[in-house]
Amino acid sequence: MKVLITGGAGFIGSTVASRCVDAGIDVVILDNLLTGRAEFARRFPFYCGDIADEKLLDKIFTDHPDIGATVHCAALIVVGDSVSSPARYYENNVSKSLALVSSVLRNGCGRFVFSSSAAVYAPGEGGCVDESSPIEPQSPYAHSKAQFETMLDDIVAATDLSAISLRYFNPVGADPELRSGTPSAHPTHALGKLFESYSTGTPFTVTGTDWPTRDGSGVRDYVHVWDLADAHVRALQRFDRITADSSGMTVVNLGSGRGTTVWELVRTFENVLGEDIDVVVADRRTGDTAGAYASNDRALRLLGWVPTFTLEQGIEDTARWLAVRSHLLNSVSPNVSLSGRRRG
């Protein structure tokens, strides 16, 4: 099997690419390198360009007529940025993704795996959600994922395309072999901010302490990126069986299956790294919700998938990645180790 991975030079896409190769699946990468890194893609046939470039897509399928599936990981993902620049998110995550679907259909590639998000779910009280839970996105980013899912479902019903939408919860960690990890030296998610506080000695900010959760902070479901990558491989390997009797898009949650509050994340981080973190509190940010955690029942039934990595392992693997990131990517990054804070 050979697959096209859009956004394959990014955090998720590059990890999926490595897991595919480990499973004997050939990979072709398409990435515009807006947020991805060429270092992650250089092990594969790599095309630098836009997912909406029809001529480039035609060339890719001409060069690789044996591509049997597309894994669509290319997207803008920062919630706060989407609030300030919504048009940019709708253009990239909706309009260009629609152009991508047209291109893969035109080239006869009928299997489509979409990297979606648990952000599409309605805000709750930090409880468990399954694939039938209400959809009520709270940010332009989440809206863009939900809108593309709606379009994809309609296209599947009307064409030869079959699709699986994998709704990620909160990815952490890195490829255990450190072939890739977070491209940015300053990630915007909570764990990235904790590492920034750890390496610089600046306080970590807990945004929102009045949520209806067990300790007032938001609940998140932190799933190891290698577990996510494994789920993609399983979706590809079982794709035809999963979609055979479906008249629409198949949706599958991918999370750890347990909720972790921000305060619990801080304590777990401190236990793994062996050092206390200074913490300050602030008001809720625009687009934030109380959060949720995944029911993985459908993932087990359809993919035979259960997460195998713990949050502690995700923190450890992130630390190992950040310690080598500047060397592997030839750029500045926090200098961290599991034994304590180091400053270069």
Side-chain angles (χ1 to χ4, degrees):
M1 179 189 296
K2 181 180 286 188
V3 300
L4 170 65
I5 302 180
T6 69
F11 176 39
I12 303 294
S14 63
T15 312
V16 171
S18 293
R19 183 65 186 88
C20 282
V21 169
D22 291 351
I25 299 172
D26 293 329
V27 168
V28 177
I29 300 295
L30 170 61
D31 199 296
N32 63 8
L33 300 184
L34 180 63
T35 57
R37 299 294 302 234
E39 295 94 332
F40 294 163
R42 63 189 173 194
R43 294 184 294 123
F44 312 102
F46 171 46
Y47 296 80
C48 184
D50 198 281
I51 59 173
D53 187 334
E54 295 182 355
K55 290 183 179 179
L56 178 57
L57 266 296
D58 290 346
K59 176 174 173 50
I60 292 172
F61 281 96
T62 297
D63 292 347
H64 303 275
D66 52 341
I67 291 175
T70 300
V71 179
H72 181 30
C73 298
L76 299 177
I77 63 170
V78 181
V79 170
D81 185 40
S82 78
V83 174
S84 59
S85 304
R88 185 164 167 256
Y89 274 69
Y90 290 123
E91 179 185 13
N92 280 273
N93 296 359
V94 180
S95 298
K96 290 187 176 183
S97 293
L98 184 59
L100 171 68
V101 171
S102 296
S103 289
V104 300
L105 270 173
R106 185 176 62 255
N107 283 280
C109 185
R111 300 182 185 93
F112 196 89
V113 177
F114 175 49
S115 296
S116 189
S117 171
V120 302
Y121 289 115
E125 297 184 357
C128 182
V129 297
D130 62 24
E131 293 81 358
S132 64
S133 295
I135 301 299
E136 190 181 323
Q138 298 294 298
S139 69
Y141 161 70
H143 273 289
S144 73
K145 290 292 187 178
Q147 287 182 11
F148 182 66
E149 276 196 356
T150 298
M151 288 198 238
L152 196 56
D153 193 40
D154 289 340
I155 293 167
V156 167
T159 69
D160 292 331
L161 191 76
S162 297
I164 299 174
S165 181
L166 302 177
R167 289 178 180 162
Y168 308 164
F169 281 68
N170 296 75
V172 295
D175 176 348
E177 295 186 18
L178 301 184
R179 289 168 289 189
S180 63
T182 305
S184 173
H186 304 287
T188 59
H189 53 70
L191 183 57
K193 290 296 186 182
L194 273 169
F195 272 104
E196 185 176 3
S197 297
Y198 173 79
S199 61
T200 62
T202 56
F204 172 76
T205 303
V206 177
T207 54
T209 57
D210 58 349
W211 297 105
T213 63
R214 53 185 170 268
D215 61 17
S217 65
V219 167
R220 302 293 183 263
D221 184 333
Y222 297 99
V223 57
H224 198 289
V225 68
W226 196 245
D227 277 329
L228 286 181
D230 179 62
H232 285 75
V233 168
R234 291 169 181 264
L236 290 166
Q237 292 171 334
R238 303 180 182 209
F239 190 96
D240 292 342
R241 188 191 324 168
I242 291 170
T243 61
D245 299 323
S246 176
S247 59
M249 177 184 67
T250 301
V251 175
V252 182
N253 282 346
L254 297 179
S256 71
R258 62 185 293 264
T260 301
T261 70
V262 178
W263 286 117
E264 290 166 349
L265 175 65
V266 171
R267 289 194 290 270
T268 303
F269 183 91
E270 291 174 333
N271 289 337
V272 172
L273 275 295
E275 186 170 338
D276 291 341
I277 299 294
D278 292 332
V279 179
V280 297
V281 299
D283 293 337
R284 303 177 183 183
R285 299 170 301 180
T286 303
D288 277 350
T289 68
Y293 62 95
S295 165
N296 290 323
D297 291 348
R298 184 177 293 181
L300 175 60
R301 178 167 53 86
L302 296 183
L303 305 179
W305 178 86
V306 292
T308 59
F309 287 81
T310 64
L311 175 57
E312 287 81 359
Q313 288 172 300
I315 295 170
E316 290 174 1
D317 285 341
T318 302
R320 291 195 304 120
W321 166 252
L322 290 176
V324 301
R325 180 191 174 280
S326 59
H327 170 69
L328 296 178
L329 300 186
N330 193 29
S331 60
V332 176
S333 72
N335 189 13
V336 300
S337 72
L338 287 173
S339 59
R341 182 182 300 150
R342 301 188 309 177
R343 296 179 183 176

